[in-house]
């Protein structure tokens, strides 16, 4: 495949508001080594998530909500694609990231988002922009336990 050519044509279509092109452009920028660019990838991921196009694929929306949410916390791109990248500090936004993770957990029952919200964010308060909130933490741990996450069930018992 000609990635540079694909980028050119997907970008033209995405700029015209085509959600499928936004989705594919984000994937090319975030998940391929020849065009890795987390800033551009997140830009198009966000455009796709905000498009509300009725034909959006639920599994892709769930993945993008989780991935974009974690990138907003400062997570790096996949270790399988070098060099890894992270959003510049000026673009990181933990509160927005938390909102995206909550959408992934509530709407799509994302086990990764549920675990991150319960185990790593609300119960611990380890992120400076997300205060510890035991009620929210317990809510997400319970949701995870109800979905069969044994570690979340164990954490509830503690």
């Amino acid at each position: 495949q000609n990635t540079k050519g694909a980028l050119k044509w997907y970008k033209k279509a995405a700029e015209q508001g085509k959600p499928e092109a936004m989705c594919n452009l984000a994937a090319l920028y975030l998940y391929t080594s020849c065009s890795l660019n987390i800033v551009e990838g997140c830009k198009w991921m966000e455009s796709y998530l905000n498009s509300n196009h009725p034909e959006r694929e639920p599994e892709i929306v769930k993945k993008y909500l989780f991935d974009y949410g974690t990138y907003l916390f400062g997570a790096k791109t996949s270790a399988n694609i070098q060099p890894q990248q992270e959003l510049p500090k000026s673009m990181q936004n933990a509160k927005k990231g938390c909102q995206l993770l909550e959408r992934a957990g509530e709407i799509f029952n994302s086990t990764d988002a549920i675990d991150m919200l319960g185990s790593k964010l609300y119960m611990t308060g380890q992120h400076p922009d997300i205060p510890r909130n035991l009620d929210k933490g317990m809510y997400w741990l319970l949701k995870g336990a109800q979905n069969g996450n044994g570690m979340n069930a164990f954490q509830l018992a503690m």
Side-chain angles (χ1 to χ4, degrees):
Q1 285 188 9
N2 180 348
T3 304
K4 289 187 194 274
L7 281 171
K8 174 185 170 185
W9 293 112
Y10 280 137
K11 190 167 188 176
K12 283 183 180 279
E15 288 170 345
Q16 294 174 5
K18 305 292 185 205
E20 302 86 9
M22 294 173 194
C23 176
N24 291 332
L25 198 52
L28 282 171
Y29 280 128
L30 290 167
Y31 309 123
T32 63
S33 59
C34 54
S35 58
L36 184 64
N37 183 328
I38 192 169
V39 173
E40 282 295 307
C42 285
K43 170 186 158 184
W44 291 111
M45 191 181 282
E46 182 173 31
S47 294
Y48 177 72
L49 290 171
N50 290 334
S51 70
N52 293 322
H53 192 271
E55 294 176 15
R56 291 184 313 171
E57 295 290 327
E59 286 301 310
I60 293 174
V61 174
K62 178 171 95 172
K63 177 175 180 37
Y64 280 9
L65 285 169
F66 178 77
D67 288 356
Y68 187 34
T70 59
Y71 293 147
L72 288 170
F73 275 99
K76 292 184 178 184
T77 53
S78 171
N80 296 330
I81 302 172
Q82 294 295 326
Q84 285 183 288
Q85 295 181 4
E86 67 181 292
L87 284 174
K89 297 280 186 215
S90 62
M91 292 180 70
Q92 294 177 20
N93 182 334
K95 290 180 182 174
K96 184 176 178 179
C98 209
Q99 291 169 348
L100 294 172
L101 292 174
E102 287 178 355
R103 280 177 55 197
E106 287 291 353
I107 299 169
F108 298 100
N109 221 23
S110 167
T111 54
D112 292 332
I114 290 167
D115 184 56
M116 187 169 183
L117 289 162
S119 300
K120 298 172 182 74
L121 293 172
Y122 288 127
M123 291 304 286
T124 64
Q126 69 185 18
H127 194 282
D129 295 333
I130 307 297
R132 186 174 188 202
N133 184 322
L134 295 179
D135 289 337
K136 283 186 175 183
M138 295 294 278
Y139 170 82
W140 289 108
L141 288 177
L142 180 60
K143 189 168 181 69
Q146 290 170 337
N147 289 334
N149 185 319
M151 183 55 76
N152 288 161
F154 176 76
Q155 291 168 315
L156 277 172
M158 299 297 292

